[in-house]
Amino acid sequence: MTRRDVLKALGGALGASSWLAPSLSFPTAPRRDTTPREADGQIMTVTGPIPPEEMGAALPHEHVLSRFGEPPARRPDYDLRDVFDTVVPILNDVQSAGCEAIMDCTAAYFGRDPLIMHRLAELTGLHLITNTGYYGAADDRYVPDHAYDESAAELADRWLAEWTDGVDGTGVRPGFIKTAVDGGPLSDIDRKLVRAAAKTHTESGLTIAVHTSGNVPAAREQLAVLDEEGVDPSAWIWVHAQNVDDVDALAEAAEQGAWIEFDGLAPGDEIEHHLELVQAMQERDVLDRVLLSHDGSSYPPEGTEPRPFDTLFRTFLPKLRDAGFSAETIRMLTVDNPRRAFTVRIRT
Ligand SMILES: [Zn+2]
């Protein structure tokens, strides 16, 4: 797909709404001349690669758009005017709180929309990052039929095509791989998705974020699959790690190099819980492997409550300061760690 096709697709999708009028100059359009190899050492945002030091304070796990809970759909049917009227003020607000980048963890089939993300990045100036991959949790509801028939290598080829040509061929390229596993031992399909993610990593250098939650055995099984594929644990993020009771299991993974993501920040009890986790990781000297986010949702499906993106900046960071964490440590948690975790680099 050429850049002109992207413009055409975007223009066609935009209709007449003023939010949506495409900037014809497209100053930040995807840089189609950037081959994957040239993206090495960069962070791939929806508007193109940026040097990691430009990213700033980042939220590594949020849902800017989501249809989670609705029937699977490859192309979500969003009311564009409503999306922009709702989401732009929320993004502007979290920006004013100090956020400079957001990784959107909404995967294929439950609401991922690269062209809307591209326009939101243009409208707000935020660095937005989208993903490739399939989501294997929620009892595999959002895993497409072809994933059962194809091999891990064939799935990796599909995801690598998104890396090269953009998500759904739009030219808007993914900045990481998102997948997910269910509870219990890894199922055949979940294992295949993790293996496909590992194979995608070895060709692209994209980081692999896996919804694993409190499933410690599944985390270990995933690291074993990565090892079989020659992928270093530092290419892998343990998503929803705040649901793990055994902090030593998290520290063990962190010591191997894995990223430990506490992404359930929300007003209320979660503040204290996340503070305890951060303190526990500091005691074990692995704070340089910790990521913090909200798993927020700025445009959830109808009937679902939005979840805020600003608790980290407005409540949790002041709490960390009060608890004695230095400015350098806070910078490490909000800027340096996400930057290191999401820099495109083959880690084998
Ligand atoms: Zn999430």
Side-chain angles (χ1 to χ4, degrees), residues 168-185:
D168 291 327
T170 56
V172 175
R173 293 171 65 191
F176 64 105
I177 304 158
K178 174 72 192 289
T179 184
V181 301
D182 282 306

Side-chain angles (χ1 to χ4, degrees), residues 22-40:
S23 52
L24 289 174
S25 62
F26 244 67
T28 53
R31 277 164 42 178
R32 301 295 298 123
D33 56 341
T34 306
T35 65
R37 192 171 294 279
E38 285 163 340
D40 188 58

Side-chain angles (χ1 to χ4, degrees), residues 259-280:
W259 293 99
I260 307 300
E261 189 178 271
F262 302 133
D263 50 36
L265 276 167
D269 294 347
E270 284 300 331
I271 303 273
E272 207 56 48
H273 178 51
H274 281 63
L275 176 62
E276 285 166 12
L277 287 167
V278 168
Q279 286 170 328

Side-chain angles (χ1 to χ4, degrees), residues 290-305:
V290 169
L291 300 169
L292 296 171
S293 212
H294 306 90
D295 198 11
S297 193
S298 55
Y299 198 81
E302 219 163 298
T304 321
E305 282 297 304

Side-chain angles (χ1 to χ4, degrees), residues 16 67 137 228 283:
R67 300 289 89 179
E228 287 164 19
E283 280 163 23

